[in-house]
Amino acid sequence: MIRVKAPGLFTTLQDLGRYGAQEQGMPVAGAMDTLGLRIANALCGNAQNTAALELSYMGPTLVAEADTVQFGLAGNMAVEWLPADGGSPKKLSSWRSVTLKRGEALRIGVLGEAYTYVAVAGGFDLPPLLGSLSTYTRAGLGGFEGRQLRENDALPLKSVTPGSDQELAADAASLYGEGPVRVTLGPQAYRFSEAGTQAFLSGEYTVSKEADRMGLRLEGPVIEHLRGADIASEGIVTGAIQVPGNGQPIMLLADHQTTGGYTKIATIISADLPRVGRLKPGAKLRFQAVSVAEAESLRRAQEAALNSLLGGMRPARPEGGLDLDALYTANLISGMVDAATGADA
């Protein structure tokens, strides 16, 4: 197992989501940054939908209580390896896997994004709910006891022999893209004035402090309705952008409600959802409208880029110095030359 010595700010178990149950009122949940989850799993040899730990803002301290535990670290975060004997910690990079022995620990501090991921080789030995280990904390369902982790929790692991530690050979930042967040307009674009739509597409918005796994409230130019903000409740998809009566948009994300009765001006394209999921309060963003065909093309290109990145993983280089074991076992001499004669010795 791994034991939680310190839980972090809001650490939960998440996979790619719980699909097929929204008609029963069950949100999809799942990772806020699906790219990060998939990379963390790949780094330690897991299937990409294996449940991993999703960290929020401040990470946990995790102690290995097995002979070996391999962790996959995806996201920009401050990571330290803590020896079992209480000696000095050693800083680690992220975007790699690292194998710990019994009693050793990982201490993860401030995160560079709102959410990052820690996978373990083989995954967690916990029962799924409706085919998923994703945690939906608002209803206390899924994951580990339906809640965020607490101090001294013990998470059981599936028995697995870890492979060699891996790292990304290229920067993952290009997967997420930059520039305006791309959207397809609708499904209620007709319920907004031309000036309102223009304000949405030309203005700059700020992620407010009202930001969590359910969605991000934005502050910025008011979006004008034509006939009010209310509609008959209908199904919600991840990435839908609701605009209530105050004209300030809300981007609905992993834990969004299954139905809603506010007009929706646009939907974030799937290729940009991982980038949006990483945003912290105070982040600035703009929107750009694209066609459905463009959205599909962008998503296919992102998937190809992810596969290329994962296909190029390499053995992880040691942190803080030479790998002496590898050095001693390598053939470092290809031959010898007599210094006096220049002939092969």
Side-chain angles (χ1 to χ4, degrees):
M1 66 183 67
I2 60 173
R3 188 166 300 278
V4 180
K5 185 175 181 180
L9 186 61
F10 191 87
T11 304
T12 61
L13 272 170
Q14 302 293 340
D15 52 31
L16 292 179
R18 184 173 288 106
Y19 288 89
Q22 287 194 83
E23 65 180 11
Q24 303 171 46
M26 175 67 75
V28 173
M32 289 283 280
D33 169 11
T34 55
L35 291 175
L37 173 78
R38 295 171 69 187
I39 292 170
N41 276 315
L43 285 166
C44 57
N46 293 342
Q48 292 183 22
N49 191 31
T50 304
L53 297 179
E54 180 180 84
L55 322 182
S56 178
Y57 296 99
M58 177 71 70
T61 299
L62 307 169
V63 181
E65 294 192 358
D67 289 341
T68 56
V69 180
Q70 187 179 47
F71 296 87
L73 310 173
N76 299 305
M77 46 187 161
V79 186
E80 291 181 317
W81 167 81
L82 306 179
D85 62 7
S88 299
K90 181 173 70 174
K91 291 184 178 180
L92 298 176
S93 60
S94 53
W95 302 109
R96 61 163 291 162
S97 55
V98 59
T99 300
L100 270 59
K101 298 177 182 179
R102 187 180 297 273
E104 297 176 342
L106 281 182
R107 182 167 62 199
I108 302 174
V110 176
L111 312 183
E113 301 87 35
Y115 297 94
T116 63
Y117 296 85
V118 175
V120 293
F124 296 95
D125 193 13
L126 293 166
L129 173 67
L130 298 175
S132 171
L133 274 181
S134 285
T135 311
Y136 180 52
T137 58
R138 290 174 183 270
L141 298 172
F144 183 78
E145 299 182 0
R147 59 172 172 79
Q148 66 193 78
L149 298 188
R150 299 172 185 160
E151 183 179 352
N152 210 39
D153 281 342
L155 305 180
L157 305 175
K158 293 183 178 179
S159 178
V160 64
T161 301
S164 62
D165 290 334
Q166 301 289 306
E167 66 181 2
L168 297 185
D171 194 342
S174 60
L175 291 177
Y176 293 90
E178 56 185 6
V181 173
R182 293 160 294 191
V183 299
T184 57
L185 293 176
Q188 282 90 40
Y190 63 92
R191 291 289 298 266
F192 299 89
S193 69
E194 183 176 344
T197 301
Q198 182 61 27
F200 172 68
L201 294 175
S202 64
E204 181 178 77
Y205 289 89
T206 302
V207 178
S208 76
K209 294 181 180 180
E210 295 183 77
D212 59 18
R213 285 181 43 83
M214 186 173 183
L216 308 181
R217 290 182 178 268
L218 303 181
E219 298 171 345
V222 171
I223 302 171
E224 181 184 54
H225 293 86
L226 283 177
R227 300 192 306 275
D230 296 334
I231 58 171
S233 289
E234 62 180 20
I236 299 287
V237 300
T238 304
I241 302 177
Q242 284 186 332
V243 185
N246 65 1
Q248 298 292 283
I250 306 169
M251 301 188 294
L252 298 176
L253 300 175
D255 283 356
H256 67 80
Q257 68 274 33
T258 57
T259 63
Y262 288 134
T263 47
K264 296 172 289 295
I265 193 170
T267 304
I268 301 164
I269 69 170
S270 57
D272 282 356
L273 279 172
R275 172 159 55 114
V276 169
R278 304 168 98 203
L279 295 176
K280 293 182 176 182
K284 308 288 185 182
L285 68 154
R286 293 177 178 272
F287 295 101
Q288 176 187 347
V290 299
S291 68
V292 172
E294 288 175 301
E296 291 173 345
S297 177
L298 290 164
R299 181 67 183 86
R300 285 192 290 269
Q302 183 185 62
E303 188 70 12
L306 173 64
N307 289 335
S308 177
L309 182 74
L310 298 183
M313 289 191 304
R314 65 192 179 196
R317 292 167 292 184
E319 299 281 355
L322 296 173
D323 185 339
L324 294 179
D325 290 338
L327 185 66
Y328 293 153
T329 57
N331 180 11
L332 301 179
I333 300 176
S334 61
M336 292 183 290
V337 175
D338 188 301
T341 66
D344 291 342

